[in-house]
Amino acid sequence: MKRRRCIISMILTGFCMFLTSCGKADPGQETLIQDSALGEQQMPIQDSTSVGQEDGRQDAGIPGQGTSDEGLEEEESQSADTPKDQPSEPAEVILGVWRTTSRLKEYVGAFNRGDYGYKVTIRSYYGEGEGVSEETALLRMQAELASSTGPDIILLDYPLDAETMAAQDYLEDLSPYFADSKVVKEEDFLESVIDAYTYDGKLVAVPRQMVLQTLWGKTEIVGEESGWTVEDMLSLAGRYPDIPLASGMSRDEFLTYCLLFAQGEELLNLDAGADSCLGQILSQAASYPATASYEQLADRCWQMHQGEALLVDLSLETLDIFLMLPGLAGRDEIIPVGYPAWDGEPRAFLQAAEGPYAIPAGAANKEGAWVFLELLFSGTLDAPRIEKPFAQKWGLPTRTEELEVSVQEELDKLHEIKWETALFTQEQAMALLEELTAMASPYPSSDFALLEIIYEEAEVYFEGGKTLEETLQVIENRGRMYLQEGH
C-alpha cells in the first residue's frame, strides 16, 4: 500500500522539493490521521526545543536584550535584589511540528526576543536517525491531539491534513480570531486560499506560502477556457494517438489525472464493460510506460511548444519560474486547463509550502497561540528582505499585498539580469495567479481507499494477469462491498 500511495506523489514532484537549507521538510500527500483510541497513552517525544535564546543574544536594539557588559552586570545586580514574589516567566506556547525547520526556528526566535508576554517552544515529534519509528511518533502525536497534553499550535505538514482533522473536530475555527485582530484579517489573504481551508463554515488553518500545480496546454489544442471532463481528456488523447498527453507520463500518472477528483460512487460508474468510462481509462493507461521520465521544466515546456507533448504538468514553486512561462513556452498562448474532473470544473492542487498553521481545539493556551500566529501571518516575524538577484523564497505568498510586492520584486530582478525572453507583466501575473488559486484546493483526502482498489486491480491487468472485463468486474465488486460497509 505504501508503494501504491507513492504513485500520486510521483505527479506531485514539485511538492517534494522542499530544501532543508531553506527550512523545508519533505511534504507528503497521504492522510494518516485516523480516529485514535489511544486515550492518554504516553510515548517519548523526540525533541522539545525552546528557541527563545537560540540566536537572539547578539542582536542589538531588541526589547529585553542587553547589548553591553555594563548592561549584563546591571541585570545581574537587579536579579540579586529581586524579591521572591517576582513576576513569573512568560506563559509557554507549544508549537507542534512533525519535523523542526530552520525557518520555523527563526520565527520562534524573533517572537521570543520580543516582549509579547509569551514564550514559544517547538515540539518536534519525529527526527530521522533518532531511534523512533514514524509509526511510534505518529501515535504519540495522535494521542496528544486527542488529549489536553497536545500543542497549542500545530503545523499541518506531513503526515497531517486539514480536511481530516477538521472532520474529527480537532481544529479551532480561526475566523473569530481574525475578526478581533487589529494586526491581520482574513481579507488580507487571497479569498480562494481562505476558502480552501474552510470546512463546514470553519476556517481551520492558513498557509503563508503556497505551491500551485495543474495541467497547462496551448489554446489551439485545449481551447480558451479552463476546465474539462475525463471524457474530454480521453477524446484529446484519441485525436492525437501518436503524441503523449504530457511529457514523460507513466500509466499510473495517467490514472491519477483521470481519477483523483472523482468522488464516491462516481469511481465505480462502470456501466459494465470495456466501453465504460473506467474501462476506457484503463485501456488508455495501458498504452503508457510503467515508469515516468522527467525532464527539466524548460524542456517540458519546449516539447509542448514543438508539438511533442499535448500538455505540461506545472508545479509553480517560485515566482521567477511562473513569470518566465511565456518565454519557456515559446510565446505560445497557454492556459491552465486544469486536471480533468467529473463535473468539468477546473481543478488544481494548492499545496502549503509554509504551513498551514492551526490551533487545536483542545489547546491549553489558545490566546498565546493566536498572539504568535497573528504576528506570523502579518509578516512581523519575517527577517528583513535581502536583496540578491537570484534569491528566491520557496512558494508563492498567500497574503495579497505580499504577493503583489513579491511579483514586482521578481520582475525587477529578471529585468536587472537582462532576461530577454517574454515575461508576464505585473497585471497579467496577478490576474492569472488569482485564477489559479480560484481553481485550486488542497490535495483531496476522501475516497482514497477506492482509488487504492482501482490501482491494485489495474496493476494486475497491466501485467496481463486478468482481462479488462475481469478487472472491471473485480473493481466493481470490491468497491461496492467497501461502500456497503459504510465508508
Side-chain angles (χ1 to χ4, degrees):
M1 181 172 289
K2 288 185 178 180
R3 189 183 78 85
R4 176 54 56 195
R5 284 189 172 132
C6 289
I7 292 170
I8 294 181
S9 66
M10 291 171 62
I11 73 158
L12 303 177
T13 54
F15 298 151
C16 299
M17 295 172 62
F18 286 90
L19 308 177
T20 302
S21 62
C22 295
K24 307 165 188 71
D26 293 337
Q29 313 306 328
E30 59 187 303
T31 300
L32 297 182
I33 285 291
Q34 302 293 333
D35 287 321
S36 175
L38 294 177
E40 298 297 323
Q41 180 178 353
Q42 297 296 314
M43 299 179 187
I45 300 175
Q46 286 311 292
D47 182 28
S48 185
T49 307
S50 174
V51 199
Q53 300 176 7
E54 185 169 299
D55 54 359
R57 288 300 185 189
Q58 303 303 318
D59 291 347
I62 297 174
Q65 299 295 330
T67 58
S68 67
D69 291 340
E70 292 181 2
L72 292 174
E73 291 174 1
E74 182 179 352
E75 287 180 8
E76 291 173 359
S77 175
Q78 291 175 348
S79 176
D81 297 332
T82 301
K84 293 182 180 180
D85 59 347
Q86 64 181 0
S88 60
E89 289 291 319
E92 185 179 40
V93 174
I94 303 296
L95 171 54
V97 300
W98 185 243
R99 289 190 181 96
T100 304
T101 68
S102 60
R103 180 178 293 174
L104 199 57
K105 289 182 178 180
E106 291 173 0
Y107 294 147
V108 171
F111 181 85
N112 288 343
R113 291 192 298 270
D115 185 16
Y116 301 114
Y118 299 93
K119 181 184 74 172
V120 174
T121 299
I122 297 177
R123 178 179 295 174
S124 177
Y125 288 91
Y126 179 73
E128 291 182 350
E130 295 185 0
V132 175
S133 68
E134 285 196 21
E135 290 77 8
T136 299
L138 179 59
L139 288 172
R140 171 66 186 200
M141 180 184 281
Q142 288 177 303
E144 289 200 357
L145 287 171
S147 72
S148 60
T149 63
D152 303 300
I153 305 169
I154 188 73
L155 181 62
L156 298 180
D157 203 348
Y158 171 86
L160 307 179
D161 83 279
E163 182 179 358
T164 300
M165 294 191 67
Q168 295 171 335
D169 292 326
Y170 279 153
L171 303 178
E172 188 83 352
D173 184 359
L174 298 182
S175 292
Y177 295 87
F178 277 109
D180 293 338
S181 176
K182 297 180 180 179
V183 178
V184 65
K185 299 291 186 180
E186 286 185 37
E187 295 77 23
D188 296 341
F189 294 85
L190 293 168
E191 182 179 357
S192 51
V193 172
I194 295 296
D195 291 344
Y197 288 93
T198 299
Y199 301 95
D200 295 327
K202 294 182 179 181
L203 173 61
V204 299
V206 177
R208 288 205 58 205
Q209 303 284 129
M210 62 183 174
V211 172
L212 299 170
Q213 182 172 355
T214 196
L215 292 172
W216 293 61
K218 294 194 291 186
T219 56
E220 63 183 75
I221 298 293
V222 299
E224 298 182 356
E225 297 292 333
S226 299
W228 56 342
T229 65
V230 176
E231 288 84 354
D232 293 333
M233 187 173 185
L234 293 172
S235 176
L236 177 66
R239 293 200 305 272
Y240 299 91
D242 299 325
I243 303 176
L245 273 172
S247 178
M249 181 185 292
S250 71
R251 61 196 183 195
D252 285 333
E253 288 174 333
F254 179 82
L255 277 178
T256 300
Y257 290 147
C258 292
L259 299 176
L260 193 57
F261 286 103
Q263 297 295 316
E265 295 190 19
E266 291 172 339
L267 286 172
L268 304 174
N269 185 18
L270 304 180
D271 298 328
D275 292 334
S276 67
C277 186
L278 183 55
Q280 295 180 56
I281 291 172
L282 294 181
S283 179
Q284 181 69 36
S287 66
Y288 288 92
T291 305
S293 61
Y294 297 101
E295 292 83 10
Q296 295 294 323
L297 174 61
D299 294 333
R300 287 185 280 127
C301 288
W302 193 252
Q303 287 174 348
M304 181 178 65
H305 168 66
Q306 294 288 86
E308 298 172 3
L310 300 176
L311 308 167
V312 61
D313 191 12
L314 292 183
S315 177
L316 301 177
E317 301 145 358
T318 57
L319 280 171
D320 57 350
I321 291 298
F322 171 71
L323 294 171
M324 288 187 244
L325 280 181
L328 295 177
R331 296 178 180 267
D332 290 331
E333 185 177 353
I334 60 174
I335 65 165
V337 65
Y339 292 112
W342 294 71
D343 58 7
E345 293 296 318
R347 293 287 192 273
F349 294 124
L350 189 158
Q351 172 75 8
E354 182 190 317
Y357 297 89
I359 298 177
N365 193 348
K366 296 177 183 177
E367 179 181 344
W370 178 249
V371 171
F372 175 79
L373 285 183
E374 68 177 347
L375 295 175
L376 179 67
F377 290 152
S378 66
T380 304
L381 302 180
D382 287 352
R385 290 179 179 270
I386 301 175
E387 292 301 326
K388 293 181 179 179
F390 297 98
Q392 187 63 224
K393 191 172 184 179
W394 180 266
L396 286 59
T398 58
R399 200 158 48 93
T400 306
E401 181 180 1
E402 184 181 359
L403 181 61
E404 291 173 345
V405 170
S406 298
V407 166
Q408 189 57 61
E409 285 181 347
E410 292 306 320
L411 280 171
D412 292 342
K413 290 177 185 178
L414 290 170
H415 289 307
E416 184 178 334
I417 62 174
K418 302 188 186 318
W419 178 266
E420 297 179 355
T421 312
L423 301 170
F424 285 129
T425 65
Q426 167 87 6
E427 183 178 354
Q428 290 172 328
M430 288 303 301
L432 194 49
L433 286 171
E434 290 178 3
E435 179 183 347
L436 278 168
T437 55
M439 60 194 283
S441 59
Y443 183 83
S445 62
S446 59
D447 294 321
F448 192 84
L450 288 177
L451 287 176
E452 287 280 3
I453 291 171
I454 294 175
Y455 284 134
E456 289 171 5
E457 298 304 328
E459 189 71 22
V460 178
Y461 163 64
F462 294 146
E463 294 176 354
K466 289 188 178 77
T467 66
L468 179 58
E469 288 77 6
E470 290 170 339
T471 300
L472 293 170
Q473 191 60 57
V474 173
I475 290 173
E476 182 173 19
N477 293 340
R478 289 185 60 189
R480 299 296 178 197
M481 184 178 300
Y482 170 80
L483 292 174
Q484 289 170 6
E485 290 174 352
H487 297 284

